Amino acid sequence: MSEQPIEVQDNAGVVRLTVNRPKALNALNSDVIAALAATLDELEARNDLRAVLITGAGEKAFVAGADITEMRDKSAPQARDFAGQALATLKRLEALPVPVVALVNGFCLGGGCELALACDWAVASDNAVFGQPEVLLGVIPGFGGTQRLPRRVGPAMALDLVTTGRKIDANEALRIGLVNRVMPQAELEDYAAELTKQLGGNGPQAVRGAKQAVHDGMDQDLDSALALETSLFALCFAGEEQREGMSAFVEKRKPNF
Ligand code: CAA
C-alpha cells in the first residue's frame, strides 16, 4: 500500500477507495479529508464511473473516527471549519451519481460511522464495531451523525447511540439497519469482488437512474416522488441500454452494457 491518505484502485469503472492511515486506525484528519475531496474532483468528472467501494487499510479498522489528536486544541471556529470541510466532502461522496458502498472491516466509530452513513449502503465484517462515542470525549458527532443516523436507523435508536456513546457489534448494526450484511472478515474481499462484477455489469445509466430516483424521491412527497420515478423510467427508453437489456433477455443471451 502506498503512502497516499486515500488509495484509489480502478476496476473498469468500479473504483475502490481505501482510507490509508492504519497506524492511527484510519482516523480522519485534515489530510485524509483533503485527499478524499481531491479524489472526488476526479471521480465527479468521470462519465465511465460505475460504482465506488470504500474501506479502511489493515484488518483492524474501517475508520476509528475523526482524528482526536488533531481536534484536541482546536478553537470553536477551527472546529466549525474542520467539520465544514468534512461535511461538504461527505455530501459530495453521497451525491456521486453511482452507488457508493462502505466495506466496514473493523472499528467504525464517530467520523467513521458518519463516513459509512454517507454511503448508500454498508456491509460489515463480523469483527466490526460501530458507535458514535463523541459524548465520551465531551463533544457531539460533527460529520453528520446526528442527522444521517436517525434517518438510517430511526430517532430512538440514534438517540440511544449518540447520547450513551455505547458501541455495538456487527450483528446489532445489522439488526437496526445500519448495515445490510455481515460476513466473516475473510469473506469481505469475495463480497467486494462479487459487487464489482454485479455493479460493473449492470446497465450504467439504469443504475444511475435507480440511485437518483431513490435519493431525490426521499426528499419529496409520495406523489411527486412517483412522478419522478415515471420520468426516470421513461428516460431509460430513450437510451440504448433498455433495447440491449430487453433484447438480450428475449434472445436468451447476456446483455452487453
Ligand atoms: N483519532 C486519532 N488517533 C486514533 C483514533 C482517533 N479517532 N483512534 C485510534 N487512534 C490511534 C491511537 O491513538 C493509537 O495511536 P498510537 O499507537 O500512536 O498510540 C492507534 O490509533 C491504535 O489505537 P489504540 O491503541 O487505542 O487501539 P485499541 O485496539 O486499544 O483501541 C479503539 C481501539 C477502541 C478504536 C480506540 O482506539 C478508540 O477508542 N479510538 C477512538 C474512537 C473514538 O472516540 N472515535 C470518535 C472520535 S470523535 C469524532 O469522530 C468526532 C466527529 O464526529 C467529527
Side-chain angles (χ1 to χ4, degrees):
M1 183 85 44
S2 75
E3 296 305 308
Q4 298 301 317
I6 299 288
E7 174 87 2
V8 182
Q9 292 165 283
D10 189 352
N11 190 334
V14 179
V15 172
R16 179 178 171 134
L17 306 180
T18 303
V19 181
N20 187 25
R21 279 190 82 205
K23 285 184 187 151
L25 303 189
N26 304 318
L28 302 176
N29 63 9
S30 299
D31 288 347
V32 175
I33 292 162
L36 181 57
T39 304
L40 288 167
D41 289 342
E42 290 170 22
L43 297 184
E44 285 164 352
R46 286 181 57 168
N47 292 325
D48 66 333
L49 190 65
R50 290 191 176 223
V52 173
L53 313 182
I54 184 157
T55 193
E59 297 196 336
K60 194 168 167 185
F62 173 70
V63 167
D67 191 299
I68 299 168
T69 313
E70 180 178 333
M71 285 186 295
R72 186 178 60 166
D73 295 324
K74 284 196 189 301
S75 64
Q78 288 168 335
R80 179 184 286 276
D81 282 352
F82 181 59
Q85 292 291 332
L87 269 184
T89 304
L90 294 189
K91 187 91 186 110
R92 289 174 61 195
L93 181 71
E94 182 177 53
L96 284 174
V98 299
V100 180
V101 182
L103 304 173
V104 179
N105 55 323
F107 287 112
C108 183
L109 300 171
C113 195
E114 292 164 304
L115 172 62
L117 286 165
C119 298
D120 291 312
W121 77 88
V123 298
S125 56
D126 52 9
N127 66 329
V129 175
F130 296 80
Q132 297 287 165
E134 287 86 350
V135 287
L136 306 178
L137 300 164
V139 297
I140 70 168
F143 293 177
T146 64
Q147 303 310 311
R148 287 197 180 95
L149 188 60
R151 285 165 171 77
R152 183 77 49 103
V153 303
M157 184 54 78
L159 279 160
D160 170 349
L161 294 174
V162 300
T163 60
T164 65
R166 75 183 175 92
K167 298 181 180 67
I168 61 173
D169 64 18
N171 283 324
E172 185 168 1
L174 179 66
R175 188 170 57 71
I176 67 174
L178 186 51
V179 301
N180 288 21
R181 284 174 68 174
V182 175
M183 61 200 75
Q185 185 159 37
E187 290 175 20
L188 202 59
E189 283 310 310
D190 287 346
Y191 176 81
E194 185 192 329
L195 203 55
T196 299
K197 210 168 144 195
Q198 275 178 342
L199 293 173
N202 291 340
Q205 294 310 323
V207 171
R208 286 172 178 236
K211 172 164 176 172
Q212 187 188 346
V214 173
H215 271 256
D216 292 358
M218 293 288 287
D219 296 330
Q220 299 178 13
D221 65 81
L222 186 60
D223 284 344
S224 310
L226 291 171
L228 169 71
E229 183 190 79
T230 305
S231 301
L232 290 168
F233 175 72
L235 197 60
C236 295
F237 289 73
E240 290 175 6
E241 273 179 33
Q242 169 268 338
R243 188 137 313 213
E244 168 60 12
M246 295 190 177
S247 298
F249 177 83
V250 172
E251 294 161 15
K252 302 191 186 306
R253 61 174 174 83
K254 286 202 163 136
N256 181 13
F257 293 122

